[in-house]
Amino acid sequence: NAGVTQTPKFRVLKTGQSMTLLCAQDMNHEYMYWYRQDPGMGLRLIHYSVGEGTTAKGEVPDGYNVSRLKKQNFLLGLESAAPSQTSVYFCASSYLPDTQYFGPGTRLTVL
Amino acid sequence: GNSVTQMEGPVTLSEEAFLTINCTYTATGYPSLFWYVQYPGEGLQLLLKATKADDKGSNKGFEATYRKETTSFHLEKGSVQVSDSAVYFCALSEGGSNYKLTFGKGTLLTVNP
């Protein structure tokens, strides 16, 4: 039982490049979330999904897009990366809306 | 809107010292309250939770009591260990149709031998 996994673990991009972060969970959870973690800011919700085929905006959605084509996967896309998107990105999933299980994180640097 | 305020630290303690990390919240309704822990280089893990007033969550020697009258959920441990060194996040969820967790900014705890 792997729980929540994230790919890749590290990535360096140049400004304007695009990339997709993959989150996968094997717990059959309905709810999935993408957060970013910045020093002194705690975790901020980017987008979330309440089930396969659904997505919704969180607190800081600008510059990001998401897709949930399969229940177990939640993809986060950056179409044109900016230095302000340098952060650690965490994916989470939950069976109920409150108790969330987190992945190990992806450290992204945008130069 | 909802908010969580926790002492920002950093907090540095010696092994076997008593730990308190304060957390207060603002929310409408009756939220569920959580403490998550993040060890170096890892994601967040649920440490404990409480879903209604006067509930006490506990795990691994840590405790926190949901105090509605003071809107608080302070984390305590009687005797910390070096292995407890981590960042601790207080969080709340309104539940129902609101799926989001609102996090505090985190408190870095360092325990020295």
Side-chain angles (χ1 to χ4, degrees), chain B residues 9-65:
Chain B
V11 175
T12 303
L13 296 174
S14 298
E15 207 164 23
E16 299 185 2
F18 184 85
L19 169 71
T20 299
I21 301 178
N22 291 336
C23 172
T24 57
Y25 68 90
T26 302
T28 56
Y30 303 95
S32 296
L33 301 173
F34 307 82
W35 278 100
Y36 279 82
V37 58
Q38 184 179 29
Y39 298 104
E42 299 183 10
L44 279 71
Q45 303 174 22
L46 178 65
L47 181 59
L48 54 85
K49 73 176 188 179
T51 58
K52 61 182 187 296
D54 299 326
D55 268 2
K56 178 185 284 187
S58 61
N59 186 24
K60 299 182 181 179
F62 291 88
E63 293 183 341
T65 301

Side-chain angles (χ1 to χ4, degrees), chain A residues 30-74:
Chain A
E30 289 293 336
Y31 307 99
M32 296 188 75
Y33 316 81
W34 275 107
Y35 294 90
R36 60 178 289 173
Q37 183 180 34
D38 302 293
M41 301 292 288
L43 274 80
R44 294 181 292 171
L45 182 65
I46 304 171
H47 286 280
Y48 64 100
S49 168
V50 302
E52 182 179 320
T54 74
T55 63
K57 293 180 179 179
E59 186 182 353
V60 288
D62 293 343
Y64 305 95
N65 56 75
V66 288
S67 63
R68 182 100 181 268
L69 298 180
K70 294 183 179 180
K71 185 177 183 178
Q72 63 268 34
N73 295 337
F74 195 29

